[in-house]
Amino acid sequence: MSDYVFVLSNGCEIPVIITTRRGLRNITLRPKTGSKREIHISKPWLVSNSAAIKFLESKQKWVECVFQKCPEKISLNPGDEIEFLGHVVKLQHDTQLRANKWDAENNVLFVGGAPEMFERRVRDFIKAEFLKESKRIVRSVPQEFWPSRIAVRDTTSRWGSCSSTGTMSFSWRLAFAPVDVMRYVVMHELAHKKHMNHSPEFWATVRELYGPGVERAKRWLTQNGTGLHRYF
């Protein structure tokens, strides 16, 4: 539950969540532009909530800019088409089904359950398919690059990450990107198995794993990445 509401100039109300953290020296702001739009404020122990809100108000222009750049959410309904993982998929609703039914031959997803669960079930199906595709791409490279575990996240600032323990995380919203762009992000993180930096050696490894077109895929993601958040 939010503590406050921040009103943008267009009248849109954004819930504000304030968290107090020991050891924190400064107030930090984290606008969330995903499926649930919020502003998270972390503040030091001795800073009051009112002071934190005042700090947020002083950053009005920056906050406005963040939310203006994020795409308008598109609702999905039975009969709509959605493109993911290189396929244009027709969405249908069947209340008689207890689970989703995938017609791969005709690219039709029959969504089961109650109407209010329609979008959630579509989202869960795409996330599951994205994880399968990620694993398939990983298995296409030498085993020495394979992660110890793959996790699917819904992040707004990073498309992928690789921990020192070998766990790799990917934003499932890459499912809405061209397949070659998704593959680039996977290869990018796999290269971190050898180079936990962005040195020339690291980029040479990315190119070795990916092949020609690394810069093109990277540029597409920079220019079009925000649009991958238009659903859900």
Side-chain angles (χ1 to χ4, degrees):
M1 186 175 180
S2 63
D3 302 292
Y4 300 92
V5 172
F6 187 76
V7 182
L8 302 179
S9 58
N10 62 3
C12 182
E13 296 184 345
I14 309 295
V16 179
I17 313 297
I18 300 177
T19 304
T20 300
R21 294 186 179 179
R22 291 186 180 273
L24 195 66
R25 293 187 176 183
N26 300 302
I27 301 173
T28 60
L29 302 178
R30 289 185 299 132
K32 299 286 187 177
T33 59
S35 57
K36 191 174 184 180
R37 298 187 179 188
E38 296 175 334
I39 300 173
H40 286 240
I41 303 178
S42 297
K43 68 179 183 65
W45 185 257
L46 295 178
V47 173
S48 66
N49 284 3
S50 60
I53 292 297
K54 187 174 182 180
F55 178 78
L56 170 61
E57 291 172 345
S58 72
K59 301 296 181 180
Q60 175 92 25
K61 289 185 178 180
W62 175 74
V63 173
E64 293 269 3
C65 183
V66 170
F67 285 104
Q68 283 175 1
K69 289 181 178 179
C70 66
E72 290 294 326
K73 292 295 179 180
I74 299 175
S75 297
L76 292 173
N77 300 286
D80 288 346
E81 289 186 340
I82 183 172
E83 185 172 358
F84 61 89
L85 297 176
H87 302 286
V88 177
V89 176
K90 184 73 171 289
L91 303 177
Q92 298 289 4
H93 186 220
D94 188 342
T95 57
Q96 302 302 312
L97 294 175
R98 297 187 62 183
N100 292 340
K101 181 181 177 181
W102 170 235
D103 180 353
E105 183 177 350
N106 297 300
N107 281 343
V108 178
L109 176 63
F110 294 93
V111 182
E116 61 269 20
M117 297 293 290
F118 183 81
E119 283 196 302
R120 179 177 176 179
R121 284 178 175 254
V122 173
R123 180 197 64 191
D124 290 346
F125 177 83
I126 295 174
K127 289 172 68 174
E129 291 299 304
F130 171 80
L131 180 58
K132 290 179 187 178
E133 181 64 13
S134 298
K135 291 179 177 179
R136 187 195 67 78
I137 294 173
V138 166
R139 288 193 293 268
S140 71
V141 305
Q143 195 167 351
E144 62 187 288
F145 289 97
W146 291 10
S148 58
R149 188 173 75 91
I150 296 177
V152 174
R153 309 291 188 197
D154 190 4
T155 53
T156 56
S157 58
R158 303 180 71 177
W159 299 112
S161 64
C162 177
S163 72
S164 57
T165 61
T167 296
M168 292 186 186
S169 299
F170 300 106
S171 169
W172 68 271
R173 293 182 179 278
L174 288 165
F176 301 121
V179 175
D180 284 346
V181 174
M182 172 187 167
R183 182 171 164 270
Y184 155 70
V185 175
V186 174
M187 297 305 175
H188 181 114
E189 299 309 325
L190 292 177
H192 279 310
K193 283 277 287 183
K194 282 193 173 182
H195 308 282
M196 291 297 286
N197 52 45
H198 289 93
S199 62
E201 292 76 15
F202 163 80
W203 286 109
T205 302
V206 174
R207 294 185 182 94
E208 178 184 346
L209 294 173
Y210 183 88
V214 169
E215 293 302 324
R216 181 171 61 251
K218 183 180 178 183
R219 184 166 56 251
W220 189 98
L221 197 56
T222 299
Q223 295 174 347
N224 303 283
T226 56
L228 303 184
H229 293 272
R230 62 188 179 277
Y231 298 113
F232 312 107

